[in-house]
Amino acid sequence: MADDPILALEGITFGYAGSPALFDGLCFTLRPHERLGLYGPNGTGKTTLLRLIMGLETPQRGAVLFHGEPVKDRQTLHRLRCRVGFVLQNSDDQLFSPTVLDDVAFGPLNLGLKRGAARDRAMETLESIGLGNLAERPTHHLSGGEKKMVSIASVLSMRPEALLLDEPTAFLDDDSRDRIARILCGQNLARIVVSHDKTFLDRTACSLVTIRQGAVTEFTCADAVT
């Protein structure tokens, strides 16, 4: 059905070695129409939540589901990663090709597109968000804001149905934050945006949530001062 969850976490228990559990029985869903802003203090598990969804961390108990199917092997994890884009906090961890066009074409190549078709899609994606002029630039010559926008483009070129973004405005100036907000507002995709920038979340998310005592809950005014 159209409103069935894209992603679901069911009974997730997870903690890092030597530390108390971040989650104990966590349940969470992301539906096609949802644009969630995940706000809150450090150490509550915001980034870990995204990493659990993407299979970068493995829960001690519970399951991650993609369209109702448990993500339990390489095949189902690959299917999720082809359809859910993850923009990392540090763009240097995401960009590794000689030029911007090569980086943005990398995902479509992994989807099975021929080189020419992948580059055409990459160029189309860059132009659609106003970055066509950067196509032949070496990625290591980009500014911090440009790197973040190219990271987003590299995910959008895979035509995902959901986006996960981890602190997309960290260390960026006002102009870069504004451009990224405009890019996100132009995408009709389910998304979770983790950020300490509440103004940015107010602009790019339809609802705000936080993590309180290991559970994803609705954001309240009291959470703004924690």
Side-chain angles (χ1 to χ4, degrees):
M1 296 177 62
D3 199 45
D4 286 346
I6 298 172
L7 298 164
L9 277 63
E10 295 188 346
I12 295 291
T13 296
F14 177 82
Y16 293 101
S19 300
L22 280 171
F23 306 118
D24 187 6
L26 171 71
C27 293
F28 170 79
T29 60
L30 178 69
R31 298 180 185 276
H33 64 278
E34 290 184 307
R35 320 283 191 263
L36 300 181
L38 180 51
Y39 182 85
N42 290 331
T44 55
K46 300 185 301 298
T47 295
T48 300
L49 178 71
L50 304 188
R51 291 177 61 84
L52 285 163
I53 291 171
M54 297 304 297
L56 299 174
E57 302 291 351
T58 303
Q60 281 87 45
R61 288 192 299 275
V64 176
L65 281 66
F66 178 57
H67 285 292
E69 180 181 10
V71 179
K72 58 184 180 181
D73 53 32
R74 287 187 179 183
Q75 183 178 9
T76 51
L77 181 58
H78 176 73
R79 190 174 302 127
L80 181 153
R81 289 178 175 175
C82 286
R83 301 298 301 154
V84 179
F86 186 21
V87 180
L88 303 175
Q89 180 173 346
N90 186 348
S91 298
D92 289 329
D93 292 336
Q94 195 147 3
L95 304 177
F96 49 82
S97 299
T99 69
V100 166
L101 188 61
D102 290 329
D103 255 314
V104 181
F106 182 79
L109 280 171
N110 278 349
L111 293 178
L113 272 66
K114 299 293 187 181
R115 179 172 173 80
R119 290 175 69 84
D120 287 346
R121 183 186 286 189
M123 194 67 211
E124 177 187 342
T125 302
L126 287 167
E127 289 177 342
S128 73
I129 60 175
L131 300 179
N133 61 309
L134 299 180
E136 299 304 327
R137 289 269 300 275
T139 52
H140 62 276
H141 286 175
L142 301 176
S143 69
E146 289 170 337
K147 286 181 178 180
K148 184 62 67 175
M149 287 182 278
V150 170
S151 295
I152 294 171
S154 71
V155 166
L156 293 177
S157 68
M158 297 181 71
R159 303 293 191 266
E161 59 184 300
L163 294 175
L164 310 180
L165 301 101
D166 189 10
E167 296 289 354
T169 62
F171 310 114
L172 301 186
D173 60 23
D174 289 343
D175 180 64
S176 295
R177 288 197 293 270
D178 179 68
R179 291 187 67 184
I180 291 169
R182 283 188 278 116
I183 289 171
L184 292 182
C185 290
Q187 307 303 315
N188 186 26
L189 298 170
R191 59 179 174 258
I192 305 170
V193 183
V194 169
S195 181
H196 286 90
D197 185 345
K198 187 174 178 297
T199 300
F200 179 81
L201 291 180
D202 287 338
R203 184 174 174 185
T204 58
C206 294
S207 57
L208 294 184
V209 295
T210 192
I211 297 176
R212 190 184 304 115
Q213 297 179 339
V216 179
T217 63
E218 183 180 359
F219 176 85
T220 66
C221 292
D223 295 305
V225 297
T226 59

